[in-house]
Amino acid sequence: MSLPQAMGYARIAGMPVVTGLYTLLLPVVAFATLGSSRYLVVAADSATAAILAGGLSGKAPLGSEHYVALAGMVALLTAGALLLARLFKLGFLADFLSQTVLVGFLAGVGLQVGIAMLGEMLGLEIVATTTLGQLADIGRHLPRLHVPTLCVTGAVMAMLLLSRRLAPWLPGPLLAVIGAIAASAAFDLSGHGVTLVQGIAGGLPSLGFPHVSVREIPPLLPVAASCFLMIVAQSAATARTYASHHHQTVDENADLVGLSAANVVAAMSGAFVVNGSPTQSAMVERSGGRSQVTHLAMAAVVGLVLVFLTHPLRFLPRCVLGAVVFSIAMGLVDLRALRDIRRESPGEFRLALVTAAVVVLIGVEQGIVLAMVLSLFRHVRHSYQPHTAVLVEEGGQWRPIPATPGAVSRPGVIVFQFGADLFYANASGFATNVRALVESAGTPVKWLVVDAGAITSIDYSAARVLADLHEELLRRCVTLVLVHTEPSLRADLRRHRLSDVIGADHVFETLREALAAIGEQP
């Protein structure tokens, strides 16, 4: 089932088709030996293949010997980055790519790859390298589409859709490839103008380092960095998913070693960057695989195919691989996840759409960087504008109300709740909220009680703002009190000498203790 996908991913990467099979050989063995995940299949993947194609575009002719060498060097550089990440225990970097923008990124990759395959599926010669340019070329050349190629594409797409809907346990892509090869040989499809896959050499890959000059390496570093980020994020997300389903544990740092080794042997065997593939990992699980022994058996079968069965592949129409890749790419557009995100968090849905649009309109490398930036930005934005409230007592219970001007807890008392750590970016907002509440209270405020349950730390800049606010409140005859202070916050208050400024007798563990101390307990 992985064979047609791997060949399709090679087409996405601009590599010779046989190199897709190479990614199912030594890289699979390397990760099975050194990685920790039982289900993760490390081989060619659409996302990293798209990154590679976008990064190497214009540096060498697609599929040429020089292009293959550049792709091998990108794999080596990526392997080095993964090894450094393991040495510094950077497996946590995967946590900085949120699920929301990852869904948007993969949707963008799916649309970009799917559009890139339309030319082959329609029998049109597309020369543009950008997604918009490819759509423009398709529009201009559409009257000249090749009808026999379109018929073959339609038959393959119908088989893929029917097998997925009526018999999902069948290897639809493999059956489509076998059927297309048989039809091509029997009916001489190439004689009718259907373009066939070329250059599928038999035998096992030869080993050696890619021949790339030193001056060619610096331009490859951004490509390798983008591949590194995608590998860390996608592989960790895939491994965690299956570990959670089967109540297992996964060691991300051990997986980094396996991923690094897999990319080293990929480069040495003439292949390209490999990644933890969600689609191929899913196929392993559905087929009943429960350990890396399944992956080793798959590598052995691929070795047999390379030695004995590459000759029939010369009859394979290129449009068939295009159709297989198109169906895979459309599978990356997770409409159900996008719908759920839109329903539960419209703001995050917009971030996912922006990420997808950047991937489609600008490029995959820019998309992965934007995905991480947006993930971090959304977290910082929540900390910058946290939830705030004024607590009021009703029926013996405290409940929050919006911290709008005029809100008080009792006459002369405001219990202000702040929902994030205090740091340099949100400290001025904290002070502004407090001033607005004190100034707009109907009666003079004597006590400002800050519920600090969500404040676990305070940095230097925020400490200075809090000290200035304390002095300003004293001039207004308002006493500042802190409640629900965690040990970490109390340590920060001592470190910044705020305990002396505010007074240790004005810091309490509970609201009830604070109100009793200031004489406001009913």
Side-chain angles (χ1 to χ4, degrees), residues 181-199:
I181 290 174
S184 177
F187 301 110
D188 187 25
L189 293 183
S190 63
H192 292 82
V194 177
T195 305
L196 304 183
V197 172
Q198 302 294 328

Side-chain angles (χ1 to χ4, degrees), residues 61-356:
L62 295 180
S64 65
E65 185 176 347
H66 189 207
Y67 188 95
V68 172
L70 292 176
M73 181 53 65
V74 170
L76 274 181
L77 293 172
T78 304
L82 289 166
L83 186 58
L84 286 175
R86 171 60 185 93
L87 292 176
F88 291 100
K89 298 182 179 179
L90 299 181
F92 69 89
L93 286 175
D95 297 330
F96 287 90
L97 193 63
S98 72
Q99 184 65 28
T100 301
V101 294
L102 185 59
V103 168
F105 173 79
L106 292 177
V109 170
L111 291 173
Q112 185 197 58
V113 171
I115 292 169
M117 292 296 106
L118 288 177
E120 290 188 1
M121 295 169 64
L122 300 174
L124 302 175
E125 190 67 31
I126 305 300
V127 296
T129 57
T130 65
T131 301
L132 291 179
Q134 290 164 352
L135 285 174
D137 280 357
I138 291 171
R140 284 194 298 268
H141 300 151
L142 194 58
R144 298 197 296 271
L145 66 84
H146 191 248
V147 175
T149 299
L150 180 61
C151 292
V152 174
T153 298
V156 171
M157 289 299 298
M159 177 178 289
L160 293 175
L161 292 173
L162 288 175
S163 66
R164 185 179 303 168
R165 179 158 300 190
L166 302 180
W169 47 272
L170 283 176
L174 182 60
L175 294 177
V177 167
I178 293 174
I181 290 174
S184 177
F187 301 110
D188 187 25
L189 293 183
S190 63
H192 292 82
V194 177
T195 305
L196 304 183
V197 172
Q198 302 294 328
I200 301 182
L204 299 176
S206 57
L207 300 181
F209 285 95
H211 298 290
V212 175
S213 64
V214 175
R215 63 180 176 80
E216 291 179 298
I217 293 179
L220 301 179
L221 292 174
V223 188
S226 298
C227 290
F228 164 76
L229 292 175
M230 176 48 62
I231 290 170
V232 170
Q234 185 169 299
S235 297
T238 305
R240 287 177 184 177
T241 297
Y242 292 107
S244 175
H245 286 173
H246 298 279
H247 308 289
Q248 298 170 353
T249 58
V250 63
D251 184 348
E252 278 121 356
N253 288 309
D255 281 351
L256 287 175
V257 175
L259 288 162
S260 177
N263 276 284
V264 168
V265 297
M268 294 182 62
S269 59
F272 51 97
V273 174
V274 293
N275 185 15
S277 174
T279 54
Q280 299 194 58
S281 300
M283 287 192 296
V284 166
E285 185 192 40
R286 287 199 300 265
S287 66
R290 293 295 179 267
S291 73
Q292 290 287 355
V293 174
T294 307
H295 308 166
L296 294 174
M298 178 177 67
V301 172
V302 172
L304 294 175
V305 170
L306 284 169
V307 173
F308 299 110
L309 298 176
T310 54
H311 179 72
L313 292 177
R314 66 189 178 93
F315 293 105
L316 179 63
R318 285 177 56 179
C319 64
V320 175
L321 278 185
V324 170
V325 173
F326 182 85
S327 68
I328 296 169
M330 292 301 99
L332 293 177
V333 183
D334 192 341
L335 295 177
R336 178 178 298 177
L338 288 170
R339 184 175 63 248
D340 291 343
I341 294 170
R342 182 184 180 185
R343 182 177 63 249
E344 297 176 20
S345 180
E348 291 187 88
F349 176 72
R350 287 191 290 271
L351 290 181
L353 291 184
V354 169
T355 304

Side-chain angles (χ1 to χ4, degrees), residues 375-385 423 425:
S375 297
L376 291 171
F377 173 77
R378 184 160 183 84
H379 170 73
V380 172
R381 181 173 175 271
H382 280 301
S383 298
Y384 174 67
Q385 295 179 323
F423 67 109

